[in-house]
Amino acid sequence: MCQGGGSHTAFTAGVLKKILAENGEKINIVALTGTSGGADCALLAWYGLLTGGKDKAIELLDSFWNKLSTDLPADLMFMNAWAVGASQIPYIPKVSPYYWPMSYWADRTHDYLKKCLEELVDFDDLEEKYSSSIPELVVGAVNVKTGDFEVFKSNKKYRKPGKENAGITVNAILASAAESSFLKAVQIGDNVYWDGLFSQNPPIYDLLDKKNAKEKPDQIWVIQINPKNRTHKPTSPDAIEDRRNELAGNISLEHELNFIESINKLIEDLPEEKKYTSKYKHIEVKKPIVITKEDLPVASKWKLDPQFIHGMMAHGEKEAEKFLAKFT
């Protein structure tokens, strides 16, 4: 499960690379979910596994983050550096991504992200080719007009009635990554979407929305970008804003994980003869894989400097090694 967090999700790519290397040996990935940058990473891991195996998935993750850092066009590189710097200036006026000049950069960023994704993933007939494949892919976004939390799924079998636009398309991935401060909402059908950071970050419940308990995962592994704990009390305006951002991004995650734990407790209390006939299943929630660095201001979630991106990926690989060591 890949939580959103902009450029910090390069950490997620590093974690996934290590996990993917063990897929089919120590572990078996049955589903991937993500929101925002986590949706990008989940998509590439999912598509790589289905089209070329774990080596292809690892290659796609590397390629995507190289395109966003090393190969970023000069004008977008300049704008990114300016945006990161400006976001750290107290009391800077807010500028809408719909008003000039931000509207130009919002469109340029959207178009470049779309180009990167389409170069790596063949979205044509994606649903027809992989709608029944394992692993499954689920990404989250929020409907701006209705306020509903929505998911886009690769598996049509479990699509809710009336969700004719809820498959995996390039626009679905872009919608999940549409951070409202810098990017315009993405239109799909008659609706418009922002990223799901305040809705399902990442979607978890939808993996459990299956009638057959055997189709549900045995364990849930969460790659968590926003840390639950901090060692220091925030006192400066920037530190307070950073911590508020982290806590807000974790609200939905905590709710969904607590729901799973509640179901587990109910199953434990069932009589033995009913435990094996129930449609519910005990699902182990593993301790999240979390960024351990504490010197990452919220502004760095938009930072695409190659050194920063590759450093976050290396950090993800290191934390994944610690996590996977428990399985040896």
Side-chain angles (χ1 to χ4, degrees), residues 52-128:
K54 57 188 179 183
D55 290 338
K56 175 70 175 293
I58 292 170
E59 177 189 336
L60 290 178
L61 288 165
D62 281 330
S63 297
F64 177 75
W65 286 101
N66 281 332
K67 287 177 180 292
L68 290 187
S69 56
T70 309
D71 297 337
L72 195 68
D75 63 329
L76 289 180
M77 189 180 301
F78 168 80
M79 181 58 187
N80 179 256
W82 177 87
V84 171
S87 64
Q88 299 178 74
I89 300 174
Y91 313 117
I92 187 170
K94 300 296 182 182
V95 181
S96 168
Y98 291 90
Y99 300 154
W100 182 265
M102 279 300 297
S103 61
Y104 170 79
W105 298 113
D107 290 337
R108 279 282 288 130
T109 302
H110 174 277
D111 291 344
Y112 185 69
L113 283 171
K114 183 177 182 180
K115 176 176 177 288
C116 289
L117 291 170
E118 290 181 332
E119 286 178 354
L120 298 174
V121 176
D122 182 4
F123 286 94
D124 293 338
D125 301 321
L126 201 60
E127 280 189 79
E128 297 303 323

Side-chain angles (χ1 to χ4, degrees), residues 5 21 29 43-44 62 69 82 95 104-105 121 128 141 163 168-169 181 221 250 268 281 298:
I29 298 173
L43 165 75
L44 297 168
D62 281 330
S69 56
W82 177 87
V95 181
Y104 170 79
W105 298 113
V121 176
E128 297 303 323
K163 298 294 183 182
I168 299 299
T169 64
S181 298
W221 296 4
N250 282 342
E268 289 175 7
K281 175 182 181 179
V298 67

Side-chain angles (χ1 to χ4, degrees), residues 222-282:
V222 179
I223 305 172
Q224 189 170 351
I225 298 301
N226 296 312
K228 182 176 181 179
N229 302 309
R230 284 294 189 187
T231 58
H232 302 292
K233 178 177 71 175
T235 55
S236 71
D238 286 345
I240 292 171
E241 181 184 357
D242 288 355
R243 190 57 179 150
R244 284 171 58 88
N245 179 276
E246 291 171 348
L247 294 173
N250 282 342
I251 290 173
S252 61
L253 174 63
E254 293 293 332
H255 281 308
E256 296 206 50
L257 294 181
N258 288 338
F259 172 79
I260 294 172
E261 295 293 357
S262 297
I263 295 299
N264 287 343
K265 182 64 169 63
L266 289 173
I267 293 173
E268 289 175 7
D269 293 339
L270 285 174
E272 286 297 321
E273 65 272 14
K274 291 187 177 181
K275 286 184 180 180
Y276 301 101
T277 59
S278 172
K279 67 177 181 179
Y280 299 106
K281 175 182 181 179
H282 185 282

Side-chain angles (χ1 to χ4, degrees), residues 273-326:
E273 65 272 14
K274 291 187 177 181
K275 286 184 180 180
Y276 301 101
T277 59
S278 172
K279 67 177 181 179
Y280 299 106
K281 175 182 181 179
H282 185 282
I283 297 174
E284 183 180 3
V285 179
K286 304 296 289 186
K287 185 177 179 180
I289 308 170
V290 187
I291 295 174
T292 57
K293 296 181 178 181
E294 289 210 7
D295 57 345
L296 296 172
V298 67
S300 65
K301 286 188 175 182
W302 301 285
K303 190 174 184 179
L304 293 175
D305 173 78
Q307 184 176 357
F308 176 77
I309 293 298
H310 293 144
M312 290 300 294
M313 291 181 73
H315 182 47
E317 293 186 54
K318 182 178 179 180
E319 292 302 314
E321 283 182 356
K322 296 178 185 177
F323 179 85
L324 290 170
K326 302 171 186 176

Side-chain angles (χ1 to χ4, degrees), residues 177-242:
E179 204 285 330
S180 58
S181 298
F182 293 96
L183 295 171
K184 298 177 182 178
V186 175
Q187 184 155 351
I188 301 176
D190 295 329
N191 296 307
V192 291
Y193 297 89
W194 281 332
D195 65 15
L197 291 178
F198 300 101
S199 56
Q200 291 176 293
N201 188 23
I204 297 176
Y205 174 77
D206 291 270
L207 295 180
L208 315 180
D209 190 19
K210 297 173 171 51
K211 294 180 180 180
N212 189 340
K214 293 181 180 180
E215 295 175 321
K216 299 176 183 181
D218 295 325
Q219 297 181 348
I220 288 179
W221 296 4
V222 179
I223 305 172
Q224 189 170 351
I225 298 301
N226 296 312
K228 182 176 181 179
N229 302 309
R230 284 294 189 187
T231 58
H232 302 292
K233 178 177 71 175
T235 55
S236 71
D238 286 345
I240 292 171
E241 181 184 357
D242 288 355

